[in-house]
Amino acid sequence: MGTRSRCVRFRPWCGEAGLECRVALTGLMPESVIEKGFELSGINDVNASDSIDSKVTPLISGIHGASRPARSIQISKPVVRMARRHPARPAGPIINPARNVSRVVMPAVLPAQMTATSTMQVEGAWSVRVTTQASGQTRSVVVNVPAPEVVQSTDIYAALPVFDPSAFGWLKGQRLAGVSAQEGVISGSLDPGSVFVTLIGGNSSSGSDTGGSGGAPADDAFIQGVDYEIDPVWGTIGRLPGGRIGEFDAVTVTYSHVVRRLDAVILQADGQIVLRAGVPSNESPVSPVPNKGEKLLGRVFHSKFQAELNPDDLFPVLSTEPAANPIVRSDTAASLLPDFMRKLKSGREVRILAWGDSVTDGQYLGNDSGSRWQDQFVSMLKRIYPRAKISLSTEAWPGHGTADYLASGPNGSSRFDSAVIGAAPDLVISEFVNDGYMDQAETLSKYTEILDAFRRSGIDWIVMTPHFTHPAFMGFSPGTVGDADTRPYVAALKMFASNAKVPLADASAIWADLKRQGLPYTSLLSNGINHPGKTGLKIYAEALAMIFAK
C-alpha cells in the first residue's frame, strides 16, 4: 500500500437517473479496461496472455454501460491506490460445446469423468468436512478454507449524488468502486461499519475550508445519517440534504470489502482431498480446474463480507450423471422450422436476427463483443452444419422489453414493426430477461401478438427462457438459491411455446442444473446483478444448439 502523485481527471455527477461518476482508483476494474484474460479452450489447454497495468479511469455509465460525455476538471492530487491489483485470470469455466447434441442432455460445466459426488458441511469457522467415495472406500476429511482477504480501498469522488432511499439498491447513490463489477455491484461484499468519508483538502462548494453548507473542517470525518447515507448491502453512498457535504464537494471514501473468490475441492490422483483457492475477482470468478487424473468434488464460493462460512457457501457435486433436458423433443428445428432448415442445409444464405435487451446488445462486454450469445450460437451452428451460410444481425434495446417494442410511437408505428419486422429476417431468436416481471396473462397476450405478426410476414421464431438473475429478484430464500426457476414468466413462456408450436430454447433449465454440478450460478453474473459473462451467455448458445441437433 502506498501513495503516488498522479493527475486524476474528475467528472462531476451527471444528475441523470441511473448514471454515475466514478474515479476508480482501485485495481479491480472491468477486464475490458485493465486486463486480458485467458480462455480454457480445452480440459488441459490453457493459453495465457500478459496482464495489463491498471489505470485510473473516470467512468460515466448507466446501468447498461453506455458511456456519455461530461465536462471535466483537472485536479493534481496525491491519491491512494489501496486495493490490490490481481493478475490476469481465466475468463470463466468453459461449458463444453454441443459436440454430442444428439444425446440431448444438459451441457456440463466439466466432463463427468472429471467430477465425483460428495457431501460438504461447515465444520468450523473456516473449515469444511468433505465426504466422498474413492476407490470403493468412503473418505471423509476436514479441509481448511482460506478466509477471503479483506481489502482496504480508498475512492476519490468529485461530488456525491443525493442519496435516494426509494431507488433500487445499486442506484441509491454512488457505487463504491471496490464493490463494483462492470456497471453493477456485488451485494453484501462491503463492511458497512468501515466506511469513512472526509472532505478533500478543504475544497468545498462554498470556496472556503468548510464542507459545503454546514462548514465541516477539512480534517473532520462526516457522519453517517447526518451528512451522508450508505446502503450496507449494495455499497452505494450519497449525501443527505441539509448535511455538511455540498453539491460540488470532492470527498475521499475509505472502506473495507472482500472480492469474490471461487475455490475448488479436488480429489487428487493419490486419493487425498485438497482445497485450491481461486483467483479473487468481482467479475465472473473462476475456480481451479482439476489436473489430469483428478476429480472435482465441489466448490466454495466467497461473495460476502462475513466472519465465518455458512452452508449456502458450499456447492458439492451432487451428481455426475447428465440431466435430461426438459425440452419436448418434438420442439426441434427439424420439425417446427422445416423451411428454414431446408434453406440452411442447402447452403443458401439464411438471415438470423437476434432480438432482445441489454443481454443481447452486449455493450457491457466491452471489446469482447464476440462473446455475445448470438455470436457463440452461430459458431456452433456452423460446426453442426458446415455448409451453412448465415447472416447475423442484432436488434436490442437495453432496459426494455417486448411491451416497449410493441408500443406505438409518435407516428403510430412501433419499434417492433420498423426494427424487427422491417428487418425481414428468416428467423428471429428472442431473449428478454426484462420480460421477467410479466405474469401468465400478459406473457400469453404479448407473445401471441408477436407470433401473429411473424406469421403474417413469413418469419420463423425461436423463444428462449431467460438466465437466472440476482437471488433477490428470483424469489430465492436461503437454502434454495439456484433451485428450479419459479418465475411465472418462465412457466408462461413454456406454455406459450408448447401451445403455439414455437421452438423453445430452455436456457433457464440449464441454469437450474448448475447447482447439481457444484457451480453457484451467481458466479456467472459478471455485474453481480443481471448480466451473464461469456460462460453464462454460452448457456443460451448451448440451449439453441440443442434445438438444431441432427
Side-chain angles (χ1 to χ4, degrees):
M1 182 176 71
T3 63
R4 64 181 66 184
S5 180
R6 182 178 296 174
C7 185
V8 183
R9 192 172 179 84
F10 289 83
R11 292 180 178 176
W13 178 260
C14 302
E16 297 180 40
L19 295 182
E20 67 155 344
C21 279
R22 185 180 81 204
V23 179
L25 304 180
T26 72
L28 304 173
M29 294 290 288
E31 292 175 5
S32 58
V33 176
I34 64 170
E35 69 183 15
K36 297 177 182 177
F38 60 87
E39 175 178 339
L40 299 176
S41 56
I43 301 306
N44 295 308
D45 179 16
V46 178
N47 298 314
S49 60
D50 295 333
S51 64
I52 301 175
D53 289 338
S54 62
K55 299 178 180 179
V56 177
T57 305
L59 300 177
I60 291 185
S61 62
I63 190 62
H64 301 288
S67 297
R68 302 196 182 187
R71 289 189 307 104
S72 60
I73 58 174
Q74 295 249 344
I75 301 177
S76 184
K77 196 86 177 151
V79 296
V80 182
R81 183 175 179 269
M82 301 176 72
R84 181 172 300 174
R85 169 73 170 90
H86 298 296
R89 58 172 177 74
I94 303 302
I95 296 177
N96 294 333
R99 299 169 184 162
N100 299 311
V101 289
S102 59
R103 293 176 59 197
V104 193
V105 296
M106 291 291 193
V109 177
L110 286 174
Q113 64 269 24
M114 295 186 67
T115 63
T117 58
S118 72
T119 60
M120 298 168 60
Q121 62 187 59
V122 175
E123 186 80 2
W126 295 103
S127 60
V128 175
R129 177 170 292 280
V130 183
T131 304
T132 189
Q133 294 289 327
S135 302
Q137 296 182 341
T138 300
R139 290 187 58 81
S140 183
V141 301
V142 175
V143 296
N144 293 322
V145 180
E149 179 184 6
V150 177
V151 181
Q152 299 288 329
S153 289
T154 294
D155 300 347
I156 296 175
Y157 300 105
L160 286 180
V162 174
F163 188 79
D164 182 0
S166 64
F168 285 118
W170 71 92
L171 295 176
K172 288 182 178 180
Q174 170 68 50
R175 295 190 291 275
L176 295 175
V179 300
S180 296
Q182 293 184 348
E183 76 298 335
V185 173
I186 305 304
S187 62
S189 61
L190 173 70
D191 174 8
S194 68
V195 178
F196 189 75
V197 184
T198 57
L199 197 67
I200 293 180
N203 294 319
S204 71
S205 57
S206 62
S208 65
D209 286 340
T210 60
S213 59
D219 293 335
D220 283 0
F222 292 111
I223 301 173
Q224 182 181 350
V226 175
D227 303 309
Y228 71 90
E229 191 54 83
I230 60 172
D231 186 297
V233 174
W234 292 96
T236 48
I237 184 170
R239 58 187 171 86
L240 292 176
R244 295 175 296 170
I245 302 176
E247 181 180 1
F248 301 108
D249 283 347
V251 297
T252 297
V253 183
T254 303
Y255 55 97
S256 301
H257 62 97
V258 296
V259 181
R260 292 200 292 179
R261 193 184 81 212
L262 189 59
D263 300 341
V265 178
I266 290 175
L267 176 65
Q268 296 182 147
D270 61 4
Q272 299 298 308
I273 296 174
V274 297
L275 181 137
R276 294 180 189 153
V279 177
S281 173
N282 273 349
E283 295 181 30
S284 304
V286 61
S287 65
V289 177
N291 297 319
K292 184 177 181 180
E294 298 181 335
K295 293 182 182 293
L296 177 76
L297 299 179
R299 296 179 176 88
V300 180
F301 190 31
H302 308 276
S303 62
K304 292 180 171 57
F305 187 92
Q306 57 190 20
E308 58 186 10
L309 290 169
N310 69 70
D312 283 345
D313 302 327
L314 309 183
F315 292 83
V317 174
L318 302 176
S319 173
T320 60
E321 296 298 320
N325 194 318
I327 295 176
V328 179
R329 291 319 305 158
S330 61
D331 287 0
T332 63
S335 61
L336 297 180
L337 307 175
D339 294 338
F340 177 85
M341 289 305 297
R342 279 192 293 270
K343 195 172 181 180
L344 178 74
K345 292 177 181 179
S346 70
R348 290 182 292 162
E349 182 182 52
V350 293
R351 299 182 305 279
I352 297 178
L353 176 68
W355 178 37
D357 47 40
S358 59
V359 174
T360 296
D361 178 70
Q363 285 190 35
Y364 65 90
L365 296 168
N367 294 329
D368 195 21
S369 59
S371 295
R372 296 181 307 173
W373 63 262
Q374 58 268 42
D375 297 295
Q376 296 191 65
F377 165 63
V378 167
S379 295
M380 289 183 185
L381 191 58
K382 287 180 177 178
R383 290 200 297 270
I384 299 172
Y385 297 97
R387 294 185 58 196
K389 185 178 179 182
I390 302 169
S391 173
L392 174 66
S393 59
T394 296
E395 166 53 36
W397 196 0
H400 295 78
T402 52
D404 301 303
Y405 269 95
L406 293 172
S408 298
N411 60 357
S413 64
S414 67
R415 181 162 175 166
F416 172 73
D417 291 330
S418 61
V420 181
I421 297 294
D426 296 300
L427 172 67
V428 171
I429 306 174
S430 62
E431 167 281 318
F432 278 103
V433 69
N434 283 349
D435 280 355
Y437 71 91
M438 290 185 180
D439 58 17
Q440 176 177 308
E442 185 174 3
T443 300
L444 296 179
S445 173
K446 290 289 190 295
Y447 279 68
T448 298
E449 180 180 351
I450 293 168
L451 179 61
D452 290 343
F454 281 152
R455 287 181 170 169
R456 287 194 301 269
S457 302
I459 298 172
D460 284 321
W461 187 19
I462 296 176
V463 296
M464 298 196 295
T465 55
H467 61 280
F468 282 15
T469 60
H470 191 282
F473 308 146
M474 295 290 297
F476 291 136
S477 58
T480 69
V481 175
D483 289 347
D485 196 335
T486 60
R487 288 174 289 186
Y489 165 68
V490 173
L493 203 57
K494 293 179 180 181
M495 178 189 300
F496 164 79
S498 177
N499 293 340
K501 304 301 180 185
V502 171
L504 175 80
D506 199 355
S508 169
I510 302 177
W511 281 76
D513 190 55
L514 295 176
K515 187 174 183 179
R516 180 186 66 87
Q517 301 179 63
L519 181 66
Y521 84 82
T522 52
S523 69
L524 302 185
L525 298 176
S526 59
N527 69 348
I529 301 173
N530 63 346
H531 283 168
K534 180 177 181 179
T535 303
L537 292 169
K538 193 169 188 176
I539 291 177
Y540 280 117
E542 294 274 4
L544 287 165
M546 290 179 182
I547 293 177
F548 287 85
K550 288 186 177 180

